[in-house]
Amino acid sequence: MTRTPNASTTPTAPATSTSAAKTVLISGASIAGPALALWLHRYGFAPTVVERAPELRAGGYKVDIRGTAIEVCRRMGVLDEIRANSTDMNGGSYVDEKGRTVGELPAEIFGGRAEDDDEIMRGDLARILYKRTRDDVEYLFGDSIAALAEDADGVEVTFESGAVRRFDLVVGADGMHSNTRRLVFGDERRFKRHLGAYISIFTAPNHLGLQQWETYHALPHKLISVYSSAGETTAKNSFVFSSPELPYDHRDTARQKEILRERFAGDGWEIPQLLDHADRAEDFYFDSLALIEMDRWSKGRVVLLGDAAHCASPASGQGTGLALLGAYTLAGELAAAGGDHTVAFDAYERVMRPGVEQNQRFAEGFAKEMTVSSRRKIAMRLFMLRVLPRTPLRNLIAKKIREDVQKASHAVPVTEYGTHATRA
Ligand SMILES: Cc1cc2nc3c(=O)[nH]c(=O)nc-3n(C[C@H](O)[C@H](O)[C@H](O)COP(=O)(O)OP(=O)(O)OC[C@H]3O[C@@H](n4cnc5c(N)ncnc54)[C@H](O)[C@@H]3O)c2cc1C
């Protein structure tokens, strides 16, 4: 699909017609927000990014960049830096409660990655995108949108700091618990579907001495893992557990740490020590594996992007890729429509939605596989892992896993928006 941007929206000649958008407020400076800012600036718009945190947030899991998202990174001019910051993981192994290896995941199966795909820490990618945009884009840290009032010509935004400003458009790139979505579309509970598990991840001392390696310990309904990626002196501790939806405030970190302790109390291996690290972690992350499903991603001059619009959960392995593809597509459609949001928002949704839904279905399936319900089933899985490397099936299974992942990661196309869109 090709959209030719209106000449008035090229970087040298910004949009000028009466319907043309010029100023865009983006809520959220993680992945989707800065990526959109990069593209909008390139097309001649004037983006402002507001981020609730006082500074760029570090932390987070290793995130995959696969399939068509790789091409978007190439076009953003950040692919080399992503490669330089790659996690470069070599594989992983399962251990029993005494720390003895009971099964290995060979590199060709680990992550199901194809040759061009890569993996990076979320915080590193956010930093790369921020560095690329901070000189051209206005960033407001430590603030948030308190109220939005749309009229025929734009949106009046009241910030929590008390400041009031007008923008032509507002984009909610503020994650699964999007503030913009709540203000414009209503309560999160209407759109969130819990997939039956929770995940926590945080930085900790690398007391297992891991190097580009992930160690897993499986218990019924639980999976604990520790890894350290290339260039890291620390490790990431990750806990997944199955559970129906739990009542807690998503901003209440202290309560989330308590929940984690309660769930893993009395469990063996290194778990007590890993939990102690949670208490000291500054980048503690805890959330449900959940989907955000909405009939529409825009209302008037406000549009949602990334996890705010269509969180596919960590079980998809595609949240970051979809955020990058969404940013590219939304900016491209706005440029192609000469800034006319009534045309661009529909087109953005048409391009993105089928691929997003495909990835959400993938996540639903994988979420069920992340933990195993009994010790017998865990033993079966470990047995398979042990025999797999010795069978001729090894390559066949690796190929099948890669093919499934590749299908999902190519589900959103890279639309051509004109030659200037590929400028680095
Ligand atoms: C600190 C952090 C750690 C993460 N860790 C993991 C992880 O371990 N595993 C995983 O699979 N996914 C994790 N994610 C989610 C993952 O990064 C996203 O699925 C994916 O990258 C899509 O990015 P996004 O930009 O749409 O949303 P997100 O990455 O969720 O970013 C949303 C941004 O909006 C900001 N924000 C929130 N509310 C407001 C507000 N009211 N006003 C202004 N800004 C606001 C947030 O601080 C954040 O910077 C994490 C996200 C964050 C922010």
Side-chain angles (χ1 to χ4, degrees), residues 342-398:
T342 62
V343 175
F345 289 176
D346 280 351
Y348 152 68
E349 199 156 329
R350 266 199 307 278
V351 173
M352 293 296 298
R353 198 173 267 281
V356 161
E357 286 175 358
Q358 189 172 331
N359 277 285
Q360 290 190 326
R361 299 296 79 76
F362 182 87
E364 272 178 286
F366 193 69
K368 293 192 188 99
E369 303 286 319
M370 285 176 86
T371 62
V372 179
S373 61
S374 68
R375 289 199 185 269
R376 193 179 57 83
K377 286 183 183 161
I378 292 171
M380 281 285 291
R381 191 176 273 196
L382 293 175
F383 174 75
M384 290 299 292
L385 271 185
R386 279 195 299 275
V387 296
L388 182 67
R390 294 198 292 271
T391 71
L393 280 180
R394 172 189 172 127
N395 291 338
L396 214 67
I397 291 174

Coordinates of all heavy atoms in Angstrom, one line a residue, residues 342-398:
T342 N -9.3 13.2 10.2 CA -10.6 12.5 10.0 C -10.3 11.4 9.0 O -10.9 10.3 9.0 CB -11.7 13.4 9.5 OG1 -11.3 14.0 8.3 CG2 -12.0 14.4 10.5
V343 N -9.3 11.6 8.1 CA -8.9 10.6 7.1 C -7.8 9.7 7.7 O -7.9 8.5 7.6 CB -8.4 11.3 5.8 CG1 -7.8 10.3 4.8 CG2 -9.5 12.2 5.2
A344 N -6.9 10.3 8.3 CA -5.7 9.6 8.7 C -6.0 8.6 9.8 O -5.4 7.5 9.8 CB -4.6 10.6 9.2
F345 N -6.8 8.9 10.8 CA -7.0 8.0 11.9 C -7.7 6.7 11.4 O -7.4 5.6 11.9 CB -7.9 8.7 13.0 CG -7.1 9.7 13.8 CD1 -7.8 10.5 14.8 CD2 -5.8 10.0 13.6 CE1 -7.1 11.5 15.5 CE2 -5.1 11.0 14.3 CZ -5.8 11.7 15.2
D346 N -8.6 6.9 10.5 CA -9.3 5.7 9.9 C -8.3 4.8 9.2 O -8.3 3.6 9.3 CB -10.4 6.1 8.9 CG -11.7 6.5 9.7 OD1 -11.7 6.2 10.9 OD2 -12.6 7.0 9.0
A347 N -7.5 5.4 8.4 CA -6.5 4.7 7.6 C -5.5 4.0 8.4 O -5.1 2.8 8.2 CB -5.8 5.7 6.6
Y348 N -5.0 4.7 9.5 CA -4.1 4.1 10.5 C -4.7 2.8 11.0 O -4.0 1.7 11.1 CB -3.8 5.1 11.5 CG -3.5 4.6 12.9 CD1 -2.3 4.0 13.2 CD2 -4.3 4.9 14.0 CE1 -1.9 3.6 14.5 CE2 -4.0 4.5 15.3 CZ -2.8 3.9 15.5 OH -2.5 3.5 16.8
E349 N -6.0 2.9 11.4 CA -6.6 1.7 12.0 C -6.8 0.6 11.0 O -6.6 -0.6 11.3 CB -8.0 2.2 12.6 CG -8.5 1.2 13.6 CD -9.4 1.8 14.6 OE1 -9.3 3.0 14.9 OE2 -10.3 1.1 15.0
R350 N -7.1 0.9 9.7 CA -7.3 -0.1 8.7 C -6.0 -0.9 8.5 O -6.0 -2.1 8.3 CB -7.7 0.6 7.4 CG -9.2 0.6 7.2 CD -9.5 0.8 5.7 NE -8.9 2.0 5.1 CZ -9.3 3.2 5.2 NH1 -10.4 3.5 5.9 NH2 -8.7 4.2 4.6
V351 N -4.8 -0.1 8.5 CA -3.6 -0.8 8.2 C -3.2 -1.7 9.4 O -2.7 -2.8 9.3 CB -2.4 0.2 8.0 CG1 -1.1 -0.4 7.9 CG2 -2.7 1.1 6.7
M352 N -3.4 -1.2 10.6 CA -2.9 -1.9 11.8 C -3.7 -3.0 12.3 O -3.2 -4.0 12.9 CB -2.7 -0.8 13.0 CG -1.7 0.2 12.8 SD 0.0 -0.5 12.7 CE 0.2 -1.2 14.3
R353 N -5.1 -2.9 12.3 CA -5.9 -3.7 13.0 C -5.8 -5.2 12.7 O -5.7 -6.0 13.7 CB -7.4 -3.3 12.9 CG -8.3 -3.8 14.0 CD -9.7 -3.2 13.9 NE -9.8 -2.0 14.8 CZ -10.0 -2.1 16.1 NH1 -10.0 -3.2 16.7 NH2 -10.2 -1.0 16.8
P354 N -5.8 -5.7 11.5 CA -5.7 -7.1 11.2 C -4.4 -7.7 11.9 O -4.5 -8.8 12.5 CB -5.7 -7.2 9.7 CG -6.3 -5.9 9.2 CD -5.9 -4.9 10.2
G355 N -3.3 -7.1 11.7 CA -2.1 -7.6 12.3 C -2.1 -7.6 13.8 O -1.6 -8.5 14.5
V356 N -2.6 -6.5 14.4 CA -2.8 -6.4 15.8 C -3.6 -7.6 16.3 O -3.2 -8.3 17.3 CB -3.4 -5.1 16.2 CG1 -4.0 -5.1 17.6 CG2 -2.4 -3.9 16.1
E357 N -4.7 -7.8 15.7 CA -5.6 -8.9 16.2 C -4.9 -10.3 16.0 O -5.0 -11.1 16.9 CB -6.9 -8.9 15.4 CG -7.8 -7.7 16.0 CD -9.1 -7.4 15.2 OE1 -9.3 -8.2 14.3 OE2 -9.8 -6.5 15.6
Q358 N -4.2 -10.5 15.0 CA -3.4 -11.7 14.8 C -2.4 -11.9 16.0 O -2.3 -13.0 16.5 CB -2.7 -11.7 13.5 CG -2.1 -13.0 13.1 CD -1.5 -13.0 11.7 OE1 -2.0 -12.3 10.8 NE2 -0.5 -13.8 11.4
N359 N -1.8 -10.9 16.4 CA -0.8 -11.0 17.4 C -1.5 -11.2 18.8 O -0.9 -11.8 19.7 CB 0.1 -9.7 17.5 CG 1.3 -9.9 16.5 OD1 2.2 -10.6 16.7 ND2 1.2 -9.2 15.3
Q360 N -2.7 -10.6 18.9 CA -3.4 -10.8 20.2 C -3.8 -12.3 20.3 O -3.8 -12.8 21.4 CB -4.6 -9.8 20.3 CG -4.1 -8.4 20.5 CD -5.2 -7.4 20.9 OE1 -6.3 -7.6 20.4 NE2 -4.9 -6.4 21.7
R361 N -4.2 -12.9 19.2 CA -4.6 -14.3 19.2 C -3.4 -15.1 19.6 O -3.4 -16.1 20.3 CB -5.2 -14.8 17.9 CG -6.5 -14.1 17.4 CD -7.6 -14.3 18.3 NE -7.7 -13.5 19.5 CZ -8.0 -12.1 19.5 NH1 -8.3 -11.5 18.5 NH2 -8.0 -11.5 20.7
F362 N -2.2 -14.8 19.0 CA -1.0 -15.5 19.3 C -0.7 -15.4 20.8 O -0.3 -16.4 21.4 CB 0.2 -14.8 18.5 CG 1.5 -15.5 18.7 CD1 1.9 -16.6 17.9 CD2 2.4 -15.0 19.6 CE1 3.1 -17.2 18.0 CE2 3.6 -15.6 19.8 CZ 4.0 -16.7 19.0
A363 N -0.9 -14.2 21.4 CA -0.6 -14.0 22.8 C -1.5 -14.9 23.7 O -1.1 -15.5 24.7 CB -0.8 -12.5 23.2
E364 N -2.8 -14.9 23.3 CA -3.8 -15.8 24.1 C -3.3 -17.2 24.2 O -3.3 -17.8 25.2 CB -5.1 -15.8 23.4 CG -6.0 -14.6 23.8 CD -7.3 -14.7 23.0 OE1 -7.3 -14.4 21.8 OE2 -8.3 -15.1 23.6
G365 N -2.8 -17.7 23.0 CA -2.3 -19.1 23.0 C -1.1 -19.2 23.9 O -0.9 -20.2 24.7
F366 N -0.1 -18.3 23.7 CA 1.2 -18.5 24.4 C 1.0 -18.3 25.9 O 1.8 -18.9 26.7 CB 2.2 -17.5 23.8 CG 3.6 -17.8 24.2 CD1 4.2 -18.9 23.7 CD2 4.3 -17.0 25.1 CE1 5.5 -19.2 24.2 CE2 5.6 -17.2 25.5 CZ 6.2 -18.4 25.0
A367 N 0.1 -17.4 26.3 CA -0.1 -17.1 27.7 C -0.4 -18.4 28.5 O 0.0 -18.6 29.6 CB -1.2 -16.1 27.9
K368 N -1.2 -19.3 27.8 CA -1.5 -20.6 28.4 C -0.3 -21.5 28.6 O -0.3 -22.4 29.4 CB -2.6 -21.3 27.5 CG -3.9 -20.6 27.5 CD -5.0 -21.4 26.9 CE -6.3 -20.7 26.7 NZ -6.4 -20.2 25.3
E369 N 0.7 -21.3 27.7 CA 1.9 -22.1 27.7 C 3.0 -21.7 28.7 O 3.9 -22.4 29.0 CB 2.5 -22.2 26.3 CG 1.6 -22.6 25.2 CD 1.4 -24.1 25.3 OE1 2.3 -24.8 25.5 OE2 0.2 -24.5 25.1
M370 N 2.8 -20.4 29.2 CA 3.9 -19.9 30.0 C 4.2 -20.6 31.3 O 5.3 -20.7 31.8 CB 3.7 -18.4 30.2 CG 4.0 -17.6 28.9 SD 3.7 -15.8 29.1 CE 5.2 -15.2 29.8
T371 N 3.1 -21.0 31.9 CA 3.2 -21.8 33.1 C 2.6 -23.2 32.9 O 1.7 -23.3 32.0 CB 2.6 -21.2 34.3 OG1 1.2 -21.0 34.1 CG2 3.2 -19.8 34.6
V372 N 2.9 -24.2 33.7 CA 2.4 -25.5 33.6 C 1.7 -25.9 34.9 O 2.2 -25.5 35.9 CB 3.6 -26.5 33.2 CG1 3.1 -27.9 33.1 CG2 4.3 -26.0 32.0
S373 N 0.6 -26.6 34.8 CA -0.2 -26.8 36.0 C 0.2 -27.8 37.0 O -0.3 -27.8 38.1 CB -1.7 -27.1 35.5 OG -1.7 -28.3 34.8
S374 N 1.1 -28.8 36.7 CA 1.4 -29.8 37.7 C 2.9 -30.2 37.5 O 3.5 -30.0 36.5 CB 0.5 -31.0 37.4 OG 0.9 -31.6 36.2
R375 N 3.4 -30.8 38.6 CA 4.8 -31.3 38.5 C 5.0 -32.4 37.5 O 6.0 -32.4 36.8 CB 5.1 -31.9 39.9 CG 5.3 -30.8 41.0 CD 6.1 -31.2 42.2 NE 6.1 -30.1 43.2 CZ 7.0 -29.2 43.2 NH1 8.0 -29.2 42.4 NH2 6.9 -28.2 44.1
R376 N 3.9 -33.2 37.2 CA 4.0 -34.2 36.2 C 4.2 -33.6 34.8 O 5.0 -34.0 34.0 CB 2.7 -35.1 36.2 CG 2.9 -36.4 35.4 CD 1.6 -37.2 35.5 NE 0.4 -36.4 35.1 CZ 0.0 -36.3 33.8 NH1 0.7 -36.9 32.9 NH2 -1.0 -35.6 33.5
K377 N 3.4 -32.5 34.6 CA 3.5 -31.9 33.2 C 4.9 -31.2 33.1 O 5.4 -31.1 32.0 CB 2.4 -30.9 33.0 CG 1.1 -31.6 32.8 CD -0.1 -30.7 32.5 CE -1.4 -31.5 32.3 NZ -2.6 -30.6 32.5
I378 N 5.4 -30.6 34.2 CA 6.7 -30.0 34.2 C 7.7 -31.0 33.8 O 8.6 -30.8 33.0 CB 7.0 -29.3 35.5 CG1 6.1 -28.1 35.7 CG2 8.5 -28.8 35.5 CD1 6.2 -27.5 37.1
A379 N 7.6 -32.2 34.5 CA 8.6 -33.3 34.2 C 8.6 -33.7 32.7 O 9.6 -33.9 32.1 CB 8.3 -34.4 35.1
M380 N 7.3 -33.7 32.2 CA 7.2 -34.1 30.7 C 7.9 -33.1 29.8 O 8.6 -33.4 28.9 CB 5.7 -34.1 30.4 CG 4.9 -35.3 30.8 SD 5.3 -36.7 29.7 CE 4.5 -36.1 28.2
R381 N 7.7 -31.8 30.2 CA 8.3 -30.7 29.4 C 9.8 -30.8 29.4 O 10.5 -30.7 28.4 CB 7.8 -29.4 29.9 CG 8.1 -28.3 28.9 CD 7.5 -27.0 29.4 NE 6.2 -26.8 28.9 CZ 5.5 -25.6 28.8 NH1 6.2 -24.5 29.3 NH2 4.3 -25.4 28.4
L382 N 10.3 -31.1 30.6 CA 11.8 -31.1 30.8 C 12.3 -32.4 30.1 O 13.4 -32.3 29.4 CB 12.1 -31.2 32.3 CG 11.8 -29.9 33.0 CD1 12.1 -30.0 34.5 CD2 12.6 -28.7 32.5
F383 N 11.6 -33.5 30.1 CA 12.0 -34.7 29.4 C 12.1 -34.4 27.9 O 13.1 -34.7 27.2 CB 11.0 -35.8 29.6 CG 11.3 -37.0 28.8 CD1 12.3 -37.9 29.1 CD2 10.5 -37.3 27.7 CE1 12.6 -39.0 28.4 CE2 10.8 -38.4 26.9 CZ 11.8 -39.3 27.2
M384 N 11.1 -33.7 27.3 CA 11.1 -33.3 25.9 C 12.4 -32.4 25.6 O 13.0 -32.6 24.6 CB 9.9 -32.5 25.5 CG 8.6 -33.3 25.5 SD 8.6 -34.6 24.3 CE 8.7 -33.7 22.8
L385 N 12.7 -31.5 26.5 CA 13.8 -30.6 26.3 C 15.1 -31.4 26.3 O 16.0 -31.1 25.5 CB 13.9 -29.6 27.4 CG 13.1 -28.3 27.2 CD1 13.4 -27.4 28.4 CD2 13.5 -27.6 25.9
R386 N 15.2 -32.5 27.1 CA 16.4 -33.3 27.2 C 16.6 -34.1 25.9 O 17.7 -34.2 25.4 CB 16.4 -34.1 28.4 CG 16.9 -33.4 29.7 CD 17.2 -34.3 30.8 NE 16.1 -35.1 31.2 CZ 15.2 -34.8 32.1 NH1 15.3 -33.6 32.6 NH2 14.2 -35.5 32.4
V387 N 15.5 -34.7 25.4 CA 15.7 -35.6 24.3 C 15.7 -34.8 23.0 O 16.3 -35.3 22.0 CB 14.5 -36.7 24.2 CG1 14.6 -37.6 25.4 CG2 13.2 -36.1 24.0
L388 N 15.1 -33.7 23.0 CA 15.0 -32.9 21.7 C 16.3 -32.7 21.0 O 16.5 -33.0 19.8 CB 14.3 -31.6 22.0 CG 14.1 -30.7 20.8 CD1 13.1 -31.3 19.8 CD2 13.6 -29.3 21.2
P389 N 17.4 -32.2 21.7 CA 18.6 -32.0 21.0 C 19.3 -33.2 20.4 O 20.1 -33.1 19.5 CB 19.6 -31.4 22.1 CG 18.6 -31.0 23.2 CD 17.4 -31.9 23.1
R390 N 18.8 -34.4 20.8 CA 19.4 -35.6 20.3 C 18.6 -36.2 19.2 O 19.0 -37.3 18.7 CB 19.6 -36.6 21.5 CG 20.6 -36.2 22.5 CD 21.1 -37.4 23.4 NE 20.0 -37.9 24.2 CZ 19.7 -37.4 25.4 NH1 20.5 -36.5 26.0 NH2 18.7 -37.9 26.1
T391 N 17.5 -35.6 18.8 CA 16.7 -36.2 17.8 C 16.8 -35.4 16.5 O 17.1 -34.2 16.5 CB 15.2 -36.2 18.2 OG1 14.7 -34.8 18.1 CG2 14.9 -36.8 19.6
P392 N 16.5 -36.1 15.4 CA 16.5 -35.4 14.1 C 15.4 -34.3 14.0 O 15.4 -33.5 13.1 CB 16.3 -36.5 13.0 CG 16.2 -37.7 13.8 CD 16.2 -37.5 15.2
L393 N 14.5 -34.4 14.9 CA 13.3 -33.5 15.0 C 13.8 -32.1 15.4 O 13.0 -31.1 15.2 CB 12.3 -33.9 16.0 CG 11.3 -35.0 15.6 CD1 10.4 -35.3 16.7 CD2 10.5 -34.5 14.3
R394 N 15.0 -32.0 16.0 CA 15.4 -30.7 16.5 C 15.3 -29.6 15.5 O 14.7 -28.5 15.8 CB 16.9 -30.9 16.9 CG 17.6 -29.6 17.4 CD 19.1 -29.9 17.5 NE 19.8 -28.7 17.7 CZ 20.7 -28.5 18.7 NH1 20.9 -29.5 19.6 NH2 21.3 -27.4 18.9
N395 N 15.8 -29.8 14.3 CA 15.7 -28.7 13.3 C 14.3 -28.4 12.9 O 13.9 -27.2 12.6 CB 16.6 -29.0 12.1 CG 18.0 -28.9 12.5 OD1 18.4 -28.3 13.5 ND2 18.9 -29.6 11.8
L396 N 13.5 -29.5 12.8 CA 12.1 -29.3 12.3 C 11.3 -28.5 13.3 O 10.5 -27.6 13.0 CB 11.5 -30.7 12.2 CG 10.5 -30.9 11.1 CD1 11.2 -30.8 9.7 CD2 9.8 -32.3 11.2
I397 N 11.5 -28.8 14.6 CA 10.8 -28.1 15.7 C 11.2 -26.6 15.7 O 10.4 -25.7 15.8 CB 10.9 -28.8 17.0 CG1 10.2 -30.1 17.0 CG2 10.4 -27.9 18.2 CD1 10.4 -31.0 18.2
A398 N 12.5 -26.4 15.6 CA 13.0 -25.0 15.6 C 12.4 -24.3 14.5 O 12.0 -23.1 14.6 CB 14.6 -25.1 15.5

